[in-house]
Each structure stands twice: as C-alpha cells, then as structure tokens.
Amino acid sequence: MNEAQIKLKRTEALLAELIPEALSQLNDNRLHELSVIEVKCSRGRSDAKVYIDPSNFSEEEKRTYLKQLRKARPLVEDFCLKDQGWYRCPKLAFEFDEQLKKSQNIEDLFKKIAKEQKGEAS
C-alpha cells in the first residue's frame, strides 16, 4: 500500500467517524437513528459515497431519508471541515447499502439448494 492509498483510507476512516457525529447534532431526530456502514472516497478525495444501513426501511422511508440527507449534506460537510481543519471536504453522496441484503439472499439460495440436494440423495 502506497502513501496515497494510506491517506485515502485514513480520510475514509475519519469520515466514517465524523459523519454519524455530525448527523447526531442536527435538529432532525430521524437522521440520528441512521448508521453509517462505510465511506468510500474517490481517488482524489474530492467525492465520497456514504453507505447507510438500510435496516428494514421501506422504499418510501428510504426516499425520505435520502431527501433529508441531501438537504443536510452542506451542514455535514461543514462540520467535517471545521472539526478536522481541512481546506476542502469531499462532496458527500448518501446511499443505502443493499449489498448486505443481496448477500443474505444468496446465502438463503445456497441453503435451499443444499436442502434440495439432501432430499434427492435420500
């Protein structure tokens, strides 16, 4: 891992800590319950995707949360700038992380296949 990759990982880790803290200080209590799973920065650290735990929210609730997060984005970025003393903060983009749900579905399929194969072998 070279120096640029280390700086990138350090920035991602810092943002993963700062973003939930910034969300907890906002007036909208709904945003307090969101948990950040991961932050992925672009190579130049100008943009960052923030992955949020979907934790059984309906599609309508997800749309509402994303709308609120888009409105709160400048405040969160400003919080990160002031806390770290950065000259520039990555532009944040919020998304719900659907990978966990997909991996659970795949695991369920494997279990179902294994049951069917046991039934055929008997």
Side-chain angles (χ1 to χ4, degrees), residues 3 9 24 30 34-35 45 49 70 82 103 107:
E3 190 175 329
K9 292 292 182 191
S24 71
R30 294 175 293 177
L34 296 177
S35 58
R45 292 182 290 177
K49 284 193 177 185
R70 276 194 296 276
K82 288 179 180 174
S103 65
E107 287 178 28

Side-chain angles (χ1 to χ4, degrees), residues 24-121:
S24 71
Q25 293 183 6
L26 295 174
N27 291 334
D28 192 345
N29 289 332
R30 294 175 293 177
L31 297 178
H32 297 185
E33 64 189 58
L34 296 177
S35 58
V36 174
I37 294 177
E38 186 178 22
V39 177
K40 287 283 188 188
C41 291
S42 64
R43 198 179 314 167
R45 292 182 290 177
S46 59
D47 298 308
K49 284 193 177 185
V50 181
Y51 294 99
I52 310 247
D53 182 14
S55 62
N56 301 325
F57 293 127
S58 69
E59 290 302 315
E60 183 63 34
E61 289 174 319
K62 288 180 186 178
R63 278 194 292 276
T64 304
Y65 278 117
L66 289 176
K67 187 176 181 181
Q68 294 298 325
L69 287 167
R70 276 194 296 276
K71 288 180 182 176
R73 182 184 56 81
L75 297 171
V76 174
E77 290 174 358
D78 192 49
F79 178 87
C80 295
L81 276 175
K82 288 179 180 174
D83 187 80
Q84 290 299 305
W86 288 339
Y87 173 71
R88 184 172 56 90
C89 179
K91 184 176 179 185
L92 303 176
F94 295 93
E95 291 182 14
F96 281 97
D97 187 11
E98 301 297 337
Q99 292 299 324
L100 184 61
K101 189 185 291 184
K102 288 178 185 176
S103 65
Q104 287 174 341
N105 289 342
I106 291 171
E107 287 178 28
D108 290 343
L109 286 173
F110 283 137
K111 288 177 185 176
K112 189 175 181 181
I113 291 170
K115 279 184 182 178
E116 288 175 5
Q117 286 179 346
K118 283 182 182 178
E120 290 174 8

